[in-house]
Amino acid sequence: MFNPQLNSKGNLNHLLSIEGLSKEKIIQILDTAESFLKIGERDVKKVPILRGKTVCNVFFENSTRTRTTFEIAAKRLSADVINLNVATSSQSKGETILDTINNLIAMNADVFVVRHSSSGAAHFIATHVKPNIHIINAGDGNHSHPTQGLLDAFTIRKYKTNFNKLKVAIVGDILHSRVARSNIHALNILGVPEIRVIAPKTLLPYEIEKLGVHVFHDIDKGLKDADVIMMLRIQNERMDGVMLPSQEEYFKTYGLNQTRLDLAKKDAIVMHPGPMNRGVEIDSAVADSDQSVILPQVTFGIAVRMAVMAILAGQHS
Ligand code: CP
């Protein structure tokens, strides 16, 4: 079957989604990231893998973590980095995405990191550029956020070592979450035996069970004996109508507080991709507790994004 992420030799040319990646490829990315993690702890945080290459961050949607960590990652690989300010670019004058990208290619950009509110945007661009250009999906609509899925897998492996005995609970607005979808695919590929999704019916996609997850509407039952808890943000900006009675009611019914966290295993880790809404999906004390790995996720994100760019564009395969 045609896989738009691969080139004619079967190597990874773009990163558009977790679907279509083999277990071996994901492990290769995680292992490469492990070797890059140490670079961030050195005095001189640079290696020459992307020297002479230009990485262009093109974000049509807001971002703190993804855009910044891609920029740091590219700079640690010695690439030149351009951050296109979409709000002040010629997009506002009616230029199409492809014309914007082609103009940046004319300036000899090599790698594009693209975030867009439309599902399929990165895929669309990838099918219209020459094979020497690499597209990385930094989040498209509610479809996919592959580097988040990879950095979450990296985080889980760091704290739990193996995937094959874990119970992972993903809690919250699954319906609008590209992070949940990428994580479900990654965890299935990596052999996690029990993936649970916990949410009210209004925040679950139709037939989510077909992705190989167990559905819980009662958070207390869903968290029981979990090894990993991934909390998700309520994405008000993607909701068409009223899907929740109120944020207070949601916190009461689905918010992660210490009493609920105590239902999971004693050494369970708490994750959140950010941005986090304290007091809506997660209690502040839990977010800042010893079981929280929310800030390490951000640090690991740099190493994982270095690994992805090195493998795509740095002859690091
Ligand atoms: N996790 C994540 O995608 O965060 P940003 O929206 O800040 O990039």
Side-chain angles (χ1 to χ4, degrees), residues 1 16 55 85 87 114 120 151 165 171 180:
M1 203 168 74
L16 306 175
V55 174
N85 186 345
V114 181
L151 80 86
K165 289 199 178 97
V171 189

Side-chain angles (χ1 to χ4, degrees), residues 199-219:
K201 280 195 180 116
T202 49
L203 295 183
L204 279 171
Y206 180 62
E207 296 192 328
I208 181 82
E209 299 85 350
K210 289 196 171 161
L211 293 184
V213 297
H214 302 273
V215 173
F216 291 81
H217 301 300
D218 180 334
I219 187 169

Side-chain angles (χ1 to χ4, degrees), residues 250-310:
Y250 181 80
F251 183 64
K252 247 195 265 168
T253 324
Y254 286 99
L256 185 64
N257 56 26
Q258 190 61 49
T259 311
R260 289 189 171 135
L261 177 54
D262 289 343
L263 299 168
K265 291 212 180 119
K266 270 194 172 35
D267 62 350
I269 55 169
V270 176
M271 302 172 65
H272 194 306
M276 154 170 83
N277 287 314
R278 291 169 183 262
V280 179
E281 66 266 2
I282 189 165
D283 188 49
S284 248
V286 171
D288 300 331
S289 72
D290 289 345
Q291 284 174 271
S292 167
V293 298
I294 295 170
L295 291 178
Q297 281 176 266
V298 178
T299 306
F300 299 153
I302 298 173
V304 168
R305 288 171 175 135
M306 286 173 78
V308 168
M309 287 190 282

Side-chain angles (χ1 to χ4, degrees), residues 59 62-67 115 138 145 148 178-179 273-275:
F59 279 57
N62 294 343
S63 168
T64 298
R65 283 143 289 267
T66 312
R67 202 205 58 73
R115 171 171 286 191
H145 192 348
Q148 183 71 45
R178 54 197 177 208
V179 174

